[in-house]
Amino acid sequence: MKNINFCMLVITTMLSTSIMAEQVNLYSARKEALIKPLLDKFTQQTGITVNLVTGKADNLITRLKSEGKYSPADLLLTTDVGRLYRAKEQGLTQAISVSPAIAALPNNFRDEQGHWLGLSLRARPMMVSVDRVNTQTIANVEDLISPEWKGRVCIRSSSNIYNQSMVAALIAQLGESAAQEWVNGLVNNFARPPQGGDRDQIKAVAAGLCDVAIANTYYLAGMLSSEDKTTQQQAKKVKVIWPNQAGRGTHINISGVALAKSAPNKDAALKLIDFLLSNESQLWYATTNHEYPILANIAWSDLLESFGTFKTEQVPLGQLGELNAAAVKMMDRAGWK
Amino acid sequence: MKFINWLYSWFNPWFVSITLGCIILAAPVGLVFVSVFFPQTEIWQHLYSTVLSDYIVNSLLLAFGVGFLVILIGTVLAWCIARYEFAGRKQLQWLILLPMAMPAYIIAYTYTGLLDFAGPLQTLLRDTFHWQYGDYYFPDIRSLPGAIIMLSLVLYPYVYMLARTAFSEQPASLEEVSRSLGISPSKHLFKVVLPLARPAILMGAALAMMEAFADYGTVQYFGLSTFTTGIFRTWFGLGNGIAAAQLAAMLTSFVVLLLILEYLSRRKVSYYFQGQKTNQVNRQKLSGRKAFWVPFLCVIPVFFGFMLPVLQLLKWASMTYSKQLTSEFWLLLWNSFYLAAIAAITAVILALIFAYGKRLNPIKPIQILVGVVNLGYAVPGTVIAIGAMISLSWLDIKLNTLTENWFDVSVGLIFSGSLFALILVYSSRFLAVAMHNIDTGLSRVKPSMDDASRSLGYKPLQVLRVIHVPLMKTSVLSALLLVFVDVLKELPATLILRPFNFNTLAVRAFELASDERLMDAALPALAIVSVGILPVILLTLLMDKPSQQSSQVN
């Protein structure tokens, strides 16, 4: 009985809030700490309440799907393009009407039918030991499979989406067999079985366990700006190498947003998308979490500047989602844990 | 007449309500098994030729490794506390339970921070001896043995609690008989005490092993290929939900085997409370060397399972608390607390009804039904949560269609979009914990008591209220507290099913940790531990109360 009363209470509060003010409902795979401050600003500026549920992208997609046309969600935020593609593929999204802010986006960061778009950019370069690696000897990710790097490479598990997208991008650009060869070669050169997150790979290079790691730049930036002295010192022992600058460019991914097919608050949702693309928000991404802004005219944080500029891969981002399963199978075959 | 009796024995209100309850609770687990009817040949060929053997071997090693270690640690500690009197025993008996409040994934984070190649300990070693990588051997924490130790450190209290109750409930008369027959104390231990306590010890181990099978946080962080990590990889990485559910069904089948083994080992022994007092075993006062060694031995698991990780967390939290300690933090604390409380009460009420129903109708179908619901504990939280989400959303959609057709309003997602979904999943997942405790309590109440009170005109529910619950107060309370602590720590289901703008401490700690911000995660992690400590202390007070006992062995 207690429970029923309690549920009724929850429902009535939910219903009453829905009648009260203009609002927008967000399913976000971006962690609360990395999105909430922006949402609070949005509410201050517009008076629109933002309701937030965070979680893993795939779970949120499953939730969206099972709720069907009664889903309260307006927007889906993800930290990787593969998941945006997956939501679109399952018919859970609709086209976002193009505002001036959206029109300013480079084509590669927007879905062809306009179902999703990027909000920030992440790069996944190589990071080498300052003491032990001559930076002249390494220029491309292909170098990592040569015998001289045997037992010197650190990278996290293949269960991680960033690695899956990276391999998917390789398949898209080099074809299945060349990509498989690279994956096999990389696994051969692992210093240890994959474990931990991106920061752990950087720490392992700093400690001398391996000489090169592949990791996202904002992890390194986060370590460099950590309160903890040890973490800072570890981060200072590695240097970013932008791979394949003379060729196809460095692997990138986006964090982005899709508009839910059954969005009950479409207008408010579009306002929020515009807000997330505004200079103010883009600057926040670049300074708080050290992600690259998706718009070219936004200043980078000093830390990002210190890593230098780079040429990016030009592979259509939608393909990364398409080739995700193929990438996982490839890594399974290579014995990449 | 016979026919009517037969009909009643099957279709009485108890049976019907239990069946309904079971079906609702088992629906999420059941959905997992439905997947078996949709063969996924191509994916399975891929899994079979690449990773499947890893999943099976690692999961089994993990679960049995944990089972072995928790039996070892839990039984030794239980024996020391139940049978010896020494300095510090009073404090130790509740300290020993503290690791229960520690989520396994959090202990894994802290130890990794401490023992990793780049962590303070190894760095110190290298700086002291001028070693380089490869110059020395240091065990790798992020490995299968590492995961076994992490999980065992926080799961041994399951065995300890049950074993301790079993040890202290054995009447002194047993020992007197042994002594009068000239049997040595060690022989008495192995021939009488341990066999009598065996069902309790194995039950504790089975619970711990189920946890180990379902653990995701630790194995994922350590990068181990087990069933749970495989389920997610198959589902999200390979994009095949059905094959993932089939893997989950396979995992659950392992647990069924485990439970059958546990049941078979328990079947042979049954003993009952009389409800009268007899002499309890007097604790032996320790002196000399033993008086030092026994407390020292008891402190070791507490130190590694609780004190050391908490110190590390405190150190991290001291660096970051100013950022994390906002007004919203207290709301998180409150959310976690009341959610766990509601779930615990719900699960215990359900467990009482099921256990009592089983007692009233000891027929196979009911036992099987209740057994199925108990499986929830071993299915990874995420899988149950998705099962619940799919079934509740379906219900919501049907309901909305109905109200739209009849009243022209849609009522929104009443079941799947509210805390109802979470409470259902928690009940489904943690019912096993409550059932184990309550079953044990109930099975010790002599059936003749039921007969006596029924013959005095009491109705079944009155018997439960007036006779059983008072007699097994300890079991009911420990069930409540165990579920409470479990829900407090629960992560995957909470993450998936929570409504808008609702967070818990576990969610917060996980979000920060999975973003590789371990230091920021320290404060919410400490808060989970602090809220979890309260029931643990209560539990100890309960366990130390001399309960009414006497037993007879059949």
Side-chain angles (χ1 to χ4, degrees):
Chain A
M1 197 62 225
K2 229 184 200 160
N3 260 335
I4 296 173
N5 281 339
F6 175 75
C7 285
M8 290 312 290
L9 185 79
V10 172
I11 294 154
T12 44
T13 44
M14 278 169 69
L15 286 177
S16 58
T17 47
S18 65
I19 298 158
M20 262 178 0
E22 205 183 352
Q23 58 175 355
V24 58
N25 298 327
L26 201 53
Y27 282 1
S28 166
R30 266 188 94 84
K31 311 281 188 317
E32 191 179 16
L34 301 178
I35 189 74
K36 189 97 167 55
L38 273 183
L39 301 178
D40 289 344
K41 269 190 201 154
F42 175 71
T43 305
Q44 272 171 16
Q45 285 178 16
T46 59
I48 298 171
T49 318
V50 184
N51 299 312
L52 176 70
V53 177
T54 57
K56 291 188 171 144
D58 287 290
N59 292 335
L60 294 170
I61 290 171
T62 312
R63 188 165 171 171
L64 202 56
K65 191 175 177 175
S66 64
E67 285 167 344
K69 66 172 184 176
Y70 296 104
S71 176
D74 296 301
L75 294 175
L76 172 73
L77 281 181
T78 76
T79 53
D80 132 279
V81 69
R83 299 300 172 258
L84 293 170
Y85 168 86
R86 189 166 288 178
K88 180 191 172 191
E89 192 193 26
Q90 300 192 2
L92 306 173
T93 56
Q94 58 172 311
I96 301 166
S97 29
V98 180
S99 65
I102 296 172
L105 277 177
N107 270 344
N108 195 24
F109 302 146
R110 270 162 64 188
D111 173 49
E112 284 164 10
Q113 282 81 41
H115 283 232
W116 52 258
L117 52 89
L119 294 171
S120 70
L121 200 65
R122 327 40 218 276
R124 197 164 176 76
M126 303 184 285
M127 296 177 194
V128 296
S129 161
V130 175
D131 311 327
R132 296 183 305 277
V133 176
N134 174 357
T135 51
Q136 302 305 314
T137 58
I138 180 163
N140 304 320
V141 288
E142 284 82 352
D143 299 338
L144 294 179
I145 67 173
S146 72
E148 77 173 279
W149 287 94
K150 187 145 185 75
R152 298 169 70 192
V153 180
C154 273
I155 189 163
R156 74 198 288 183
S157 159
S158 59
S159 291
N160 173 262
I161 181 68
Y162 303 136
N163 284 341
Q164 293 172 8
S165 288
M166 183 176 73
V167 173
L170 274 182
I171 299 173
Q173 295 168 103
L174 309 177
E176 185 90 27
S177 65
Q180 179 78 62
E181 200 182 325
W182 183 80
V183 171
N184 292 349
L186 192 72
V187 173
N188 258 331
N189 285 349
F190 280 177
R192 58 167 183 187
Q195 48 180 246
D198 274 8
R199 284 183 187 221
D200 294 305
Q201 316 311 317
I202 298 169
K203 285 177 183 172
V205 173
L209 202 149
C210 36
D211 294 335
V212 60
I214 293 184
N216 285 359
T217 39
Y218 55 88
Y219 288 115
L220 181 61
M223 285 170 76
L224 285 165
S225 55
S226 161
E227 301 92 350
D228 182 46
K229 287 277 172 292
T230 327
T231 309
Q232 271 190 38
Q233 280 157 0
Q234 286 167 329
K236 283 180 181 147
K237 289 187 176 170
V238 305
K239 184 176 185 311
V240 174
I241 301 276
W242 297 106
N244 303 78
Q245 291 305 288
R248 63 173 184 269
T250 297
H251 173 66
I252 51 156
N253 203 328
I254 55 169
S255 84
V257 62
L259 180 62
K261 191 175 183 172
S262 54
N265 312 296
K266 199 171 157 180
D267 294 345
L270 292 173
K271 279 183 197 155
L272 180 55
I273 294 177
D274 276 349
F275 173 80
L276 292 173
L277 287 169
S278 70
N279 289 359
E280 183 188 11
S281 309
Q282 289 288 309
L283 206 57
W284 187 86
Y285 277 134
T287 46
T288 314
N289 195 36
H290 307 288
E291 285 170 77
Y292 293 96
I294 200 100
L295 296 169
N297 58 350
I298 305 289
W300 292 3
S301 70
D302 294 347
L303 267 174
L304 291 183
E305 289 284 1
S306 74
F307 297 154
T309 54
F310 57 98
K311 176 184 170 188
T312 63
E313 273 177 351
Q314 291 303 308
V315 62
L317 288 172
Q319 285 194 3
L320 305 194
E322 239 170 299
L323 292 165
N324 200 90
V328 174
K329 283 184 180 168
M330 190 172 280
M331 295 192 277
D332 275 344
R333 282 192 294 268
W336 183 337
K337 293 280 179 265
Chain B
M1 192 63 221
K2 236 186 183 161
F3 175 73
I4 297 217
N5 271 344
W6 175 85
L7 207 65
Y8 185 77
S9 78
W10 277 87
F11 293 101
N12 62 49
W14 277 101
F15 180 74
V16 174
S17 58
I18 286 181
T19 313
L20 271 177
C22 283
I23 287 171
I24 292 169
L25 285 175
V29 186
L31 265 182
V32 170
F33 279 92
V34 172
S35 67
V36 179
F37 300 106
F38 302 92
Q40 305 287 310
T41 330
E42 191 231 348
I43 283 265
W44 275 95
Q45 269 167 352
H46 168 78
L47 291 174
Y48 181 77
S49 61
T50 53
V51 286
L52 188 63
S53 58
D54 272 358
Y55 295 165
I56 295 174
V57 171
N58 285 338
S59 279
L60 285 175
L61 283 176
L62 182 74
F64 280 91
V66 167
F68 173 77
L69 259 187
V70 293
I71 287 178
L72 189 75
I73 302 173
T75 313
V76 170
L77 289 180
W79 180 252
C80 292
I81 295 287
R83 294 303 175 97
Y84 297 130
E85 189 58 68
F86 49 85
R89 177 185 169 277
K90 249 197 146 48
Q91 293 73 27
L92 260 173
Q93 55 176 4
W94 66 268
L95 284 172
I96 283 175
L97 286 175
L98 287 183
M100 279 187 78
M102 193 53 88
Y105 51 96
I106 291 192
I107 209 173
Y109 294 149
T110 50
Y111 271 108
T112 306
L114 278 169
L115 302 177
D116 196 34
F117 182 79
L121 187 68
Q122 288 201 54
T123 310
L124 182 76
L125 285 175
R126 282 195 302 273
D127 292 347
T128 317
F129 300 105
H130 302 293
W131 285 336
Q132 291 294 319
Y133 171 65
D135 292 351
Y136 65 103
Y137 170 78
F138 197 89
D140 186 3
I141 175 78
R142 277 189 284 216
S143 59
L144 190 66
I148 290 173
I149 293 169
M150 294 296 104
L151 289 171
S152 302
L153 279 175
V154 295
L155 294 174
Y156 77 79
Y158 283 116
V159 175
Y160 163 79
M161 265 192 310
L162 291 160
R164 189 186 144 183
T165 314
F167 288 149
S168 54
E169 273 177 1
Q170 288 176 11
S173 49
L174 289 178
E175 204 148 350
E176 287 153 18
V177 170
S178 284
R179 218 174 296 159
S180 69
L181 294 172
I183 290 170
S184 69
S186 65
K187 200 165 175 188
H188 171 74
L189 172 67
F190 287 102
K191 288 279 180 208
V192 181
V193 176
L194 284 179
L196 276 178
R198 193 188 59 190
I201 292 171
L202 288 180
M203 190 184 290
L207 282 174
M209 286 168 78
M210 282 161 90
E211 284 260 19
F213 269 128
D215 172 82
Y216 174 68
T218 311
V219 287
Q220 185 252 347
Y221 187 64
F222 282 5
L224 300 172
S225 303
T226 63
F227 262 105
T228 41
T229 46
I231 287 167
F232 291 115
R233 199 187 163 83
T234 308
W235 186 6
F236 301 149
L238 296 169
N240 190 323
I242 296 172
Q246 287 164 344
L247 277 172
M250 201 165 161
L251 170 65
T252 314
S253 321
F254 281 3
V255 178
V256 176
L257 283 177
L258 180 77
L259 287 175
I260 288 172
L261 285 177
E262 192 246 351
Y263 171 74
L264 291 177
S265 74
R266 202 162 30 130
R267 220 178 31 172
K268 299 199 183 85
V269 195
S270 57
Y271 47 115
Y272 300 113
F273 276 162
Q274 304 275 50
Q276 319 151 329
K277 281 193 102 71
T278 62
N279 296 337
Q280 274 201 287
V281 178
N282 281 330
R283 285 194 290 268
Q284 191 189 335
K285 218 167 161 46
L286 292 178
S287 57
R289 253 197 244 161
K290 259 193 166 174
F292 168 76
W293 282 115
V294 169
F296 179 75
L297 194 71
C298 293
V299 164
I300 294 173
V302 182
F303 178 77
F304 288 108
F306 189 80
M307 294 175 190
L308 192 64
V310 164
L311 283 174
Q312 171 77 67
L313 287 174
L314 278 170
K315 188 184 153 204
W316 282 339
S318 68
M319 297 184 200
T320 56
Y321 76 93
S322 53
K323 249 194 322 189
Q324 292 297 327
L325 200 61
T326 54
S327 58
E328 189 214 12
F329 184 80
W330 303 110
L331 182 68
L332 286 182
L333 201 75
W334 169 240
N335 283 350
S336 300
F337 178 84
Y338 85 78
L339 193 61
I342 293 173
I345 292 165
T346 313
V348 167
I349 289 173
L350 287 170
L352 274 171
I353 293 171
F354 285 175
Y356 195 53
K358 251 191 358 188
R359 189 182 174 96
L360 289 179
N361 295 305
I363 47 175
K364 272 274 175 294
I366 286 215
Q367 289 180 339
I368 290 168
L369 272 176
V370 175
V372 168
V373 174
N374 271 339
L375 287 180
Y377 194 53
V379 182
T382 307
V383 176
I384 289 204
I386 298 282
M389 187 158 80
I390 291 169
S391 39
L392 290 175
S393 298
W394 174 85
L395 198 67
D396 273 328
I397 289 172
K398 286 275 171 278
L399 187 75
N400 276 292
T401 318
L402 197 78
T403 54
E404 272 183 351
N405 291 343
W406 285 11
F407 315 107
D408 215 22
V409 255
S410 60
V411 286
L413 304 173
I414 290 184
F415 298 110
S416 61
S418 70
L419 289 178
F420 176 85
L422 274 180
I423 302 286
L424 175 77
V425 169
Y426 293 152
S427 306
S428 173
R429 256 214 87 185
F430 299 127
L431 193 72
V433 181
M435 282 291 286
H436 271 294
N437 274 283
I438 283 166
D439 252 350
T440 321
L442 204 56
S443 66
R444 298 230 187 94
V445 180
K446 267 196 149 173
S448 59
M449 288 204 179
D450 299 41
D451 304 341
S453 41
R454 291 297 296 278
S455 70
L456 293 171
Y458 279 94
K459 295 248 166 12
L461 269 181
Q462 286 175 305
V463 179
L464 182 64
R465 214 186 55 224
V466 179
I467 311 284
H468 292 132
V469 172
L471 267 179
M472 50 183 214
K473 209 185 284 165
T474 322
S475 301
V476 172
L477 273 167
S478 53
L480 265 176
L481 297 175
L482 282 174
V483 178
F484 179 89
V485 174
D486 259 336
V487 173
L488 201 62
K489 297 188 294 189
E490 205 286 337
L491 184 67
T494 317
L495 208 53
I496 291 173
L497 288 170
R498 64 196 203 285
F500 280 111
N501 309 326
F502 183 92
N503 280 327
T504 64
L505 291 167
V507 168
R508 174 58 51 86
F510 167 79
E511 281 213 327
L512 293 164
S514 67
D515 220 30
E516 306 188 26
R517 295 163 60 187
L518 283 186
M519 291 180 187
D520 291 319
L523 188 73
L526 273 176
I528 296 175
V529 176
S530 323
V531 177
I533 283 178
L534 298 172
V536 169
I537 292 174
L538 262 171
L539 199 61
T540 330
L541 292 175
L542 281 177
M543 282 171 64
D544 217 32
K545 272 208 190 119
S547 49
Q548 309 174 308
Q549 35 223 312
S550 149
S551 45
Q552 78 182 49
V553 183
N554 299 354

